[in-house]
Amino acid sequence: MAEKSAIRILIVDDDFFSLKLLIRMLANSGFTHVATCDDGHAALERIDNSGRHPDLILLDLNMPGMDGGEFVRHLVERSYKGGLILVSGEDERVLQVAENLVHAHRLTLLGSLRKPVAPDRLVALIGKWPPPSQGNPLRAATKVYGATELRAAIKKGELVNYYQPKVVIATGRVMGAEALVRWQHPSDGLLLPGDFVGAAEEYGLIDDLARVVLSSAFAQARLWQETGLALQLAVNVSINNLVSLEFADFISDLAATAGVAPQQVVLEVAESRIMSCDLRALLETLTRLRLKRFRLSIDDFGYGHILPEQLRNIPFDEVKIDRSFVHHVSSDGAKQAKFDASLSLARQLNMETVAEGVEDRDDWDFLCRSGCDLAQGYLIAEPMPATDLAGWIQVGHARR
Ligand code: C2E
Ligand code: MG
Ligand code: MG
């Protein structure tokens, strides 16, 4: 565990007594770098103004004004990389749903605490910080990139697409590739979307980001066609792009200019964000995109944000089952149940199925037996620059 006094903790809780109690418990255990806020808006303001994110946030789920779920979404928009501990007086089931939400957003959840909080349990959870993959706790205080810097980066062409292959499970054939944006930062190196896509959404720069990602991806798809590579192109689009009513025309004009057929393009939308937006605007855009023959995919699927009957009403062609239900699926009954439920729902709705996050041979063998259509993951290939993809496909074919 990191030096206790160096861990910067923020408690967000509207309950005065609970706040006092938590502060006292933390102080008694040697955690001295503690700030508090009694509602979500104040906490976000504090985070925005401090320039540095806290290492850990203790978050009460039930707060008037902004509840814990909404607060979590705002943290994602700010690319929060620290740890999260949920605190609640609610029953296990509510905590479980909230934990699922946090996992879906890929935030680092150290655990949950039921009120009244037991001091030893609190200290035990904080003891998990930093998680092993994060090494140095100061890494949590990743830079928050400002709007001006990000806008300039987009303009200067510092955003580049990497591509990760998607293969047909039954044959191993490379079916297509997903564009994944990176920021080639002049001093900080190659940054992943988690470091800046949320910020782009927050600063209103997500349409500019989508424009450069899509333009470059379509140019790449055109090049594949010209060199005889029949690859489907998948691109991630943000909900904030889709609720804009000009987006459908914008993207179809862009594809037409590049000479790419919409049938070759899959637009991926994350499941977790769908229910949190203006559903009417979203449905309108999705329906128009579908009429223009773009393929639509629901990404990071399986957490139950969308009910089956809601899914039925959205014209998706493909379901991408989230990697947390894929890696280690063969040895984990709970994952398997989620995986099977997603697969059978997708089948009922005539959707193609993709398993993401295939990392080892056991995952792959399970998928071969499962009837899932397509797979993507580090076992097959990591995302790579466009220039490496053609070579990778040739070598892969030779190997098979
Ligand atoms: P995603 O669309 O679900 O993409 C899959 C992510 O999982 C990628 O992370 C990929 O590098 C990673 N991945 C692939 N295979 C494996 C595996 O076997 N194991 C593990 N642990 N991870 C694997 P990346 O590139 O960091 O992207 C993260 C997310 O950022 C994407 O998730 C997508 O939601 C978003 N994103 C990426 N590019 C764009 C973009 O151009 N626009 C928007 N709006 N969002 C984007
Ligand atoms: Mg995706
Ligand atoms: Mg995904």
Side-chain angles (χ1 to χ4, degrees), residues 44-111:
L44 292 173
E45 218 174 289
R46 188 187 172 92
I47 290 172
D48 290 343
N49 294 336
S50 71
R52 222 180 136 184
H53 288 175
D55 296 310
L56 282 183
I57 297 178
L58 267 59
L59 175 65
D60 179 29
L61 288 178
N62 309 75
M63 293 182 291
M66 184 190 298
D67 64 39
E70 193 185 344
F71 184 77
V72 162
R73 188 157 50 74
H74 289 295
L75 283 181
V76 175
E77 285 165 8
R78 285 161 176 76
S79 305
Y80 176 65
K81 290 285 184 304
L84 197 61
I85 295 176
L86 303 179
V87 187
S88 174
E90 296 286 341
D91 62 28
E92 282 299 330
R93 174 139 172 79
V94 174
L95 273 175
Q96 185 60 52
V97 170
E99 285 185 7
N100 285 346
L101 177 74
V102 174
H103 285 305
H105 284 305
R106 309 225 187 285
L107 293 177
T108 303
L109 181 68
L110 301 183

Side-chain angles (χ1 to χ4, degrees), residues 301-302 319 321 325 337-347 353:
F301 187 78
V319 164
I321 303 177
F325 309 119
K338 288 270 192 185
F339 184 94
D340 290 343
S342 300
L343 199 70
S344 86
L345 177 61
R347 285 237 188 82
T353 45

Side-chain angles (χ1 to χ4, degrees), residues 314-332:
I314 312 181
F316 285 112
D317 304 274
E318 177 189 279
V319 164
K320 289 188 88 169
I321 303 177
D322 191 71
R323 64 169 186 259
S324 49
F325 309 119
V326 173
H327 184 38
H328 294 321
V329 60
S330 57
S331 56
D332 183 327

Side-chain angles (χ1 to χ4, degrees), residues 106 178 236 268 299-301 320-323 356 376:
R106 309 225 187 285
E178 176 179 5
N236 295 283
E268 301 189 2
D299 204 351
D300 307 334
F301 187 78
K320 289 188 88 169
I321 303 177
D322 191 71
R323 64 169 186 259
E356 33 172 52
Q376 206 178 351

Side-chain angles (χ1 to χ4, degrees), residues 145-342:
Y145 293 95
T148 313
E149 192 180 3
L150 189 50
R151 188 178 294 113
I154 295 173
K155 223 173 174 169
K156 283 192 282 186
E158 287 174 8
L159 299 197
V160 292
N161 291 343
Y162 272 41
Y163 294 88
Q164 188 181 33
K166 221 162 139 181
V167 302
V168 179
I169 294 174
T171 60
R173 182 173 70 86
V174 183
M175 163 86 182
E178 176 179 5
L180 294 158
V181 67
R182 270 88 182 99
W183 178 357
Q184 187 63 68
H185 194 282
S187 52
D188 297 346
L190 193 69
L191 303 177
L192 294 174
D195 294 320
F196 62 91
V197 169
E201 288 179 338
E202 191 197 334
Y203 304 143
L205 293 173
I206 198 66
D207 285 336
D208 296 338
L209 183 144
R211 186 187 307 272
V212 297
V213 167
L214 286 161
S215 305
S216 145
F218 288 163
Q220 188 54 51
R222 176 62 195 242
L223 216 63
W224 290 334
Q225 275 172 39
E226 286 171 359
T227 52
L229 277 177
L231 292 178
Q232 192 188 58
L233 168 75
V235 189
N236 295 283
V237 286
S238 157
I239 283 286
N240 298 20
N241 296 135
L242 293 168
V243 292
S244 141
L245 293 179
E246 292 89 53
F247 189 73
D249 287 331
F250 159 73
I251 194 167
S252 81
D253 290 349
L254 213 58
T257 309
V260 174
Q263 291 89 332
Q264 285 296 106
V265 179
V266 189
L267 301 173
E268 301 189 2
V269 196
E271 183 201 359
S272 61
R273 300 288 305 280
I274 288 180
M275 300 317 285
S276 64
C277 71
D278 173 356
L279 211 54
R280 268 194 17 209
L282 174 72
L283 272 177
E284 179 173 335
T285 304
L286 291 179
T287 307
R288 291 189 58 216
L289 287 168
R290 189 66 153 61
L291 291 170
K292 290 173 187 291
R293 305 275 181 269
F294 285 96
R295 291 176 62 77
L296 303 177
S297 171
I298 181 159
D299 204 351
D300 307 334
F301 187 78
Y303 288 97
H305 298 289
I306 296 192
L307 300 172
E309 52 271 31
Q310 291 167 323
L311 193 59
R312 237 176 270 281
N313 295 325
I314 312 181
F316 285 112
D317 304 274
E318 177 189 279
V319 164
K320 289 188 88 169
I321 303 177
D322 191 71
R323 64 169 186 259
S324 49
F325 309 119
V326 173
H327 184 38
H328 294 321
V329 60
S330 57
S331 56
D332 183 327
K335 287 188 182 194
Q336 205 164 315
K338 288 270 192 185
F339 184 94
D340 290 343
S342 300

